[in-house]
Amino acid sequence: MRTTLLFIPGNHPAMLQNADVFGADGLILDLEDAVAATEKDAARILVGEYLKSWKLETPELLVRVNGLPSGWLESDLEAIACDRLSAIVYPKAGVEELYEVDRILSEIEKKHRLSHPIGIIPIIESAQGVVETDDISYLPRLKGMLLGGEDLTADMEIGRTREGAELAYPRARLAFACKAAGIDAIDTPFADVHDTEGLLADARTARSLGFTGKAAIHPNQLLTIRTAFRPDPKDILWARRVMAAAQDAAKKHQGAFSLDGKMIDKPVVKRAEGILSRAGVQDGAIPHETK
Amino acid sequence: MKIGSAGTLESNDALVTVQEGVGIVVSIDSIVDAFFHDRIEAEVRGELARMKKQNVHVTIQDKGALDFTLRARVRTAIERMEGSQ
């Protein structure tokens, strides 16, 4: 589950060594925008050593690499290739580039004798990336797609607002493409780290469109994102009642049934199952709230 | 003489400076020297051995770097030294 993915600057030892304490589902160790051109070598070696020294199973470790046009991609991959690396986060993704990245990764995996393939989470952050979203979603290695709102709005030469109406179309396209391909849809970070209310509304909008998670640029955003993506207690209660009623209906060989005066059929039961799944409810029990 | 450096003087980092010399010499100035001097030196010498370096002088200004940071800063400094004119 990738509900919360936290960006960590790749050349910052203090942040790297404490990054696991915040409770993010995954860490995106950043070699791209967070690192000055003169420090790319230091950052990729530091992140490589960090990955190789990592002993824990969680959180998931991902690295945002520099893209092919930068000329740094292969050096990045050489430095970070190890079994602890789950996936690379690939910036300004397009279909043709991702085929080439897949080829390079295959060579790296063979050379380093990795026990599992390195996944890719492309960042959709250009107009071209948005129109290619459907094709990208079915490429090999994909674990999800991440929307990059800042670069996308810059590419479109439009403003980025607190409400995010300008992202409605790319969000919808990405969410549908990811759902169809069975991969995670991860929403763009919310830029104002002090605006908790704005972040909550933004994350709820993403969730309502079908996103499965959201990236964060500061640890203090994680709890708000988790809150937005966690099903509402009222919805969990409703879903449990639906599931209980569905079991009774199945015993009576009923395909559809009524609950609180409303018809419940297969799509509604499926929605109830999804709510309980996202809430982590198993065997009818509601787990303890977690941070 | 070729010189290379990497890292910073920020907390949890180390500023590593290397230069060509005769044999291996490691100088350490650390905020945790009383407790970790030997471990820091062993980590530095281990990284030099992995890189097959036998003639280099290393100066470490350590601000509490963990092992992975020390190894990374030493390697980066060596690579920068080798790439310098």
Side-chain angles (χ1 to χ4, degrees):
Chain A
M1 183 180 290
R2 300 182 183 92
T3 306
T4 51
L5 293 179
L6 175 62
F7 277 97
I8 300 289
N11 200 31
H12 203 300
M15 294 188 75
L16 283 171
Q17 72 187 50
N18 295 312
D20 62 309
V21 305
F22 300 116
D25 298 315
L27 303 175
I28 302 175
L29 315 176
D30 190 8
L31 298 179
E32 200 214 15
D33 287 349
V35 179
T38 53
E39 290 296 315
K40 296 289 186 185
D41 58 340
R44 70 171 67 95
I45 292 172
L46 182 66
V47 167
E49 284 297 327
Y50 178 79
L51 289 168
K52 288 159 195 164
S53 69
W54 190 264
K55 305 293 183 204
L56 304 175
E57 288 298 313
T58 57
E60 181 182 25
L61 297 181
L62 310 100
V63 176
R64 177 161 72 168
V65 294
N66 294 283
L68 266 173
S70 71
W72 289 315
L73 176 64
E74 296 197 34
S75 297
D76 286 352
L77 295 176
E78 279 290 342
I80 63 175
C82 66
D83 280 327
R84 196 60 191 83
L85 175 64
S86 171
I88 60 167
V89 177
Y90 188 82
K92 299 173 185 65
V95 173
E96 285 186 24
E97 268 185 56
L98 288 171
Y99 275 116
E100 179 62 8
V101 173
D102 173 51
R103 187 193 64 74
I104 295 169
L105 282 173
S106 296
E107 288 179 2
I108 295 273
E109 287 161 358
K110 194 173 175 183
K111 181 178 174 184
H112 290 263
R113 298 181 180 180
L114 301 188
S115 64
H116 66 83
I118 297 170
I120 300 177
I121 295 182
I123 311 181
I124 307 302
E125 53 186 343
S126 67
Q128 182 187 349
V130 171
V131 297
E132 292 181 351
T133 299
D134 296 352
D135 295 329
I136 290 172
S137 68
Y138 286 102
L139 291 176
R141 299 176 181 276
L142 254 67
K143 296 193 170 199
M145 285 197 278
L146 168 60
L147 183 65
E150 291 298 331
D151 276 290
L152 177 58
T153 49
D155 188 43
M156 289 292 292
E157 300 181 64
I158 56 177
R160 176 106 190 259
T161 66
R162 184 175 185 262
E163 292 71 26
E166 67 281 359
L167 295 178
Y169 176 71
R171 273 175 162 161
R173 275 200 74 152
L174 194 146
F176 272 83
C178 287
K179 186 66 177 176
I183 58 176
D184 288 337
I186 304 156
D187 192 39
T188 184
F190 188 74
D192 187 346
V193 298
H194 301 295
D195 184 2
T196 304
E197 205 173 280
L199 170 62
L200 184 63
D202 195 56
R204 281 181 170 155
T205 297
R207 172 68 204 117
S208 73
L209 291 169
F211 279 78
T212 54
K214 187 172 178 67
I217 53 173
H218 193 283
N220 72 7
Q221 295 183 319
L222 296 175
L223 182 58
T224 304
I225 293 172
R226 208 179 297 283
T227 300
F229 278 83
R230 182 189 298 143
D232 188 279
K234 285 186 296 185
D235 292 337
I236 295 173
L237 185 61
W238 170 83
R240 293 182 69 188
R241 292 181 64 227
V242 168
M243 296 309 294
Q247 286 175 5
D248 287 343
K251 288 175 188 169
K252 297 172 188 169
H253 305 288
Q254 292 176 326
F257 55 95
S258 176
L259 182 68
D260 300 333
K262 292 179 182 172
M263 188 188 79
I264 307 292
D265 57 5
K266 199 172 175 183
V268 180
V269 173
K270 190 176 176 185
R271 187 162 74 240
E273 285 175 338
I275 289 170
L276 294 180
S277 173
R278 283 194 290 116
V281 175
Q282 294 174 339
D283 300 322
I286 296 178
H288 293 294
E289 294 287 292
T290 53
K291 188 169 68 168
Chain B
M1 179 174 289
K2 287 187 172 182
I3 295 177
S5 69
T8 70
L9 294 175
E10 291 179 18
S11 182
N12 300 123
D13 203 348
L15 180 58
V16 176
T17 306
V18 298
Q19 62 182 45
E20 290 176 324
V22 179
I24 291 178
V25 177
V26 179
S27 303
I28 299 169
D29 175 15
S30 172
I31 59 171
V32 292
D33 193 75
F35 304 102
F36 294 110
H37 180 99
D38 292 349
R39 182 164 177 174
I40 293 169
E41 182 165 349
E43 203 64 55
V44 172
R45 287 181 180 275
E47 190 58 31
L48 294 176
R50 277 188 287 278
M51 298 185 78
K52 298 182 171 46
K53 296 297 158 194
Q54 296 174 327
N55 293 295
V56 60
H57 292 189
V58 183
T59 302
I60 307 286
Q61 292 172 267
D62 172 50
K63 298 297 179 184
L66 295 186
D67 293 351
F68 78 88
T69 302
L70 278 172
R71 289 195 298 272
R73 296 318 193 194
V74 170
R75 193 184 317 160
T76 305
I78 293 284
E79 289 185 1
R80 287 177 175 178
M81 178 185 77
E82 292 178 335
S84 70
Q85 299 300 312

